[in-house]
Amino acid sequence: MSETKHIVLTSHPPKGASKSPAINWGAATAKERGPVIGSMNKPEQRNVVGVHSGAYGLYRALAIAAGKLDPIHRPDLTNTSPPVAIGPFGQWFDPTKIVSIDPWGHMVADEFADELKAGYDIRPTIAITKARIQLPEMREAIAAGRVKPDGKVLFETGEASVTKAAIEPVWYLPGLAERLGIKEGALRRALFEYTGHMFPELVTRSDLKVFLPPIGNITLYIFGDVEALWDGEREVACRVHDECNGSDVFASDICTCRPYLTHGIEECVKSAQNGGAGLIVYNRKEGRALGEVVKFLVYNARKRNPAGDTAAAYFEKTECVAGVQDMRFQDLMPDVFHWLGIKRIHRWISMSNMKFDAMAAQGIEILSRVPIPDELIPADASVEMDAKKAAGYYVDDTVKMSDDLSKPQGRALDKY
């Protein structure tokens, strides 16, 4: 196995020939924007803080330490290009619209072919593929007559065809700070201090504007014609879903996460079959980004509450354990919609004000919000629903579309 020749701990920007490629966030072309380079193969090329692969970058380091991976291995990107074309869109060229992902991340092999040949270790941060998914709930929906197989989007087996995209986080620090309404210096200092000083370059290298944080990624599941997402006319249904392993995978009945996810998939299939598209945005933000350990501690505190598991104590117990009710920062969530060129969602499979407000703040129009049907809410999840409604977190009635899908009816959207 080859050995890493040198390790560089930098406190000052390099000069002259050793200077890394500049990143001009929001530029009109990939070449002008410049590549994102987080590899350690050639430290002099690096132009970001952190390394590729998000949380999995630590496993890469572990594999190198264990002698399982050559530290200077470079990926062969032959035949890895996306099976569908996405972008570029106008939102890519506005440095305030996309601040948490690299919009050019899936085009590396093509847009930076010359740089790759010249020896730059540029790696994709987005990958797109096609597949099928299968959930037992879809077979139940077919049996109940709520959806019908068409042999294209949905099959008799309950399988559904999807286009999938995996997206690693890429944070443009000036834009991220502006989105959150804080100073860039304060953001850098907090990221440095409260990760145990893991990333000193956050405070020593103000010239490095991009950070590859060691957090989970985003996965998109697109049903139907991908181009329907951005044409603005055909129907688009969408569910933004934040990870809940206990419910999503193991069907725990203390929350509505899996039922709402499968309901969202069902609605996405319907829109795709109507000539539009459906989109599931799956974020790795377990336990409202507080983590699964915190979540389970809160479960215990709720169940052992002398007054019982009540809606009044739902958020109180979370704040007692975690110090905060929610750390998902939905302000960043619309970035994937800007990446997809989406300006309008016809059917939003969520009644969360936090998610709706984040989209509205970014100018993305939502024409209707679709609640989870009462019959899909597990009995033990009623506390969650009541707590969210009481806190104003969740809208209790449906905002319906007009027949022409252009104007919402019912309660005014601007109230939320």
Side-chain angles (χ1 to χ4, degrees):
M1 176 180 291
S2 302
E3 294 184 359
T4 303
K5 294 182 178 180
H6 51 264
I7 298 174
V8 179
L9 297 177
T10 59
S11 60
H12 300 285
K15 298 179 180 179
S18 62
K19 190 174 182 180
S20 57
I23 296 177
N24 302 300
W25 202 264
T29 67
K31 293 283 190 181
E32 292 174 279
R33 203 291 304 277
V36 170
I37 305 177
S39 169
M40 294 300 297
N41 284 353
K42 295 184 177 181
E44 68 275 9
Q45 294 180 355
R46 287 169 48 78
N47 57 5
V48 302
V49 180
V51 296
H52 288 294
S53 300
Y56 297 102
L58 297 177
Y59 282 103
R60 175 182 170 83
L62 189 62
I64 292 171
K68 303 293 185 182
L69 175 64
D70 185 338
I72 62 170
H73 170 76
R74 289 181 58 185
D76 180 353
L77 300 179
T78 304
N79 294 327
T80 62
S81 295
V84 297
I86 293 178
F89 300 105
Q91 294 96 315
W92 294 19
F93 315 137
D94 182 341
T96 68
K97 290 294 186 184
I98 299 177
V99 300
S100 62
I101 63 177
D102 175 10
W104 301 98
H106 58 307
M107 297 182 175
V108 164
D110 295 325
E111 294 292 339
F112 298 110
D114 293 339
E115 289 81 355
L116 287 165
K117 288 179 182 178
Y120 285 91
D121 190 1
I122 309 166
R123 305 191 179 191
T125 58
I126 300 175
I128 304 170
T129 190
K130 286 182 174 287
R132 289 187 182 184
I133 62 171
Q134 186 178 70
L135 289 85
E137 286 87 348
M138 290 308 298
R139 293 196 295 272
E140 295 169 7
I142 292 172
R146 295 196 303 270
V147 293
K148 296 181 179 179
D150 61 346
K152 184 178 179 181
V153 176
L154 182 65
F155 299 85
E156 295 283 352
T157 59
E159 291 179 301
S161 293
V162 295
T163 299
K164 298 197 300 184
I167 305 174
E168 293 176 2
V170 179
W171 289 1
Y172 175 57
L173 295 173
L176 197 79
E178 182 178 352
R179 182 80 61 87
L180 299 179
I182 58 179
K183 298 288 187 180
E184 183 185 344
L187 173 64
R188 286 174 173 269
R189 175 63 63 178
L191 292 172
F192 168 63
E193 289 187 356
Y194 298 105
T195 57
H197 302 176
M198 287 177 63
F199 302 99
E201 289 177 318
L202 285 168
V203 292
T204 63
R205 292 289 304 275
S206 60
D207 60 307
L208 298 179
K209 299 295 185 182
V210 175
F211 177 39
L212 305 183
I215 60 175
N217 65 296
I218 303 166
T219 308
L220 308 182
Y221 296 84
I222 304 169
F223 301 77
D225 184 0
V226 174
E227 294 186 8
L229 293 174
W230 57 77
D231 73 11
E233 299 301 325
R234 285 181 283 173
E235 180 178 306
V236 174
C238 177
R239 165 73 182 163
V240 172
H241 192 88
D242 296 320
E243 179 183 34
C244 177
N245 184 64
S247 180
D248 296 345
V249 179
F250 295 102
S252 169
D253 64 355
I254 198 171
C255 62
T256 59
C257 294
R258 182 180 175 98
Y260 223 144
L261 175 61
T262 58
H263 174 59
I265 291 173
E266 187 175 323
E267 295 302 310
C268 284
V269 166
K270 291 177 183 177
S271 287
Q273 290 178 329
N274 287 337
L279 171 65
I280 299 292
V281 179
Y282 195 90
N283 298 304
R284 290 340 187 269
K285 296 178 181 178
E286 179 67 57
R288 299 199 291 275
L290 302 172
E292 201 166 34
V293 169
V294 168
K295 178 194 281 191
F296 288 7
L297 294 174
V298 172
Y299 283 168
N300 289 342
R302 285 170 52 190
K303 292 174 181 177
R304 292 167 181 163
N305 183 16
D309 189 11
T310 65
Y314 180 84
F315 286 114
E316 176 193 347
K317 295 302 181 184
T318 301
E319 195 160 356
C320 285
V321 175
V324 66
Q325 295 180 3
D326 195 309
M327 293 198 306
R328 286 176 291 179
F329 288 97
Q330 300 293 6
D331 315 70
L332 306 179
M333 176 265 293
D335 283 19
V336 294
F337 294 88
H338 290 317
W339 176 64
L340 290 167
I342 294 174
K343 296 181 179 179
R344 173 182 293 177
I345 302 289
H346 298 80
R347 299 166 63 234
W348 181 247
I349 320 302
S350 170
M351 301 302 282
S352 164
N353 285 329
M354 294 173 66
K355 294 176 181 177
F356 176 86
D357 290 345
M359 295 288 279
Q362 286 296 306
I364 300 171
E365 185 180 18
I366 292 176
L367 297 183
S368 74
R369 292 196 260 183
V370 181
I372 184 172
D374 290 341
E375 61 271 19
L376 295 183
I377 300 174
D380 281 354
S382 60
V383 171
E384 172 200 25
M385 300 299 286
D386 291 342
K388 289 181 177 180
K389 292 172 184 177
Y393 173 93
Y394 185 92
V395 181
D396 194 21
D397 57 359
T398 309
V399 181
K400 297 181 179 179
M401 293 183 295
S402 61
D403 292 338
D404 65 3
L405 301 181
S406 62
K407 295 181 179 180
Q409 296 177 334
R411 293 175 64 180
L413 287 178
D414 60 4
K415 291 183 180 179
Y416 311 120

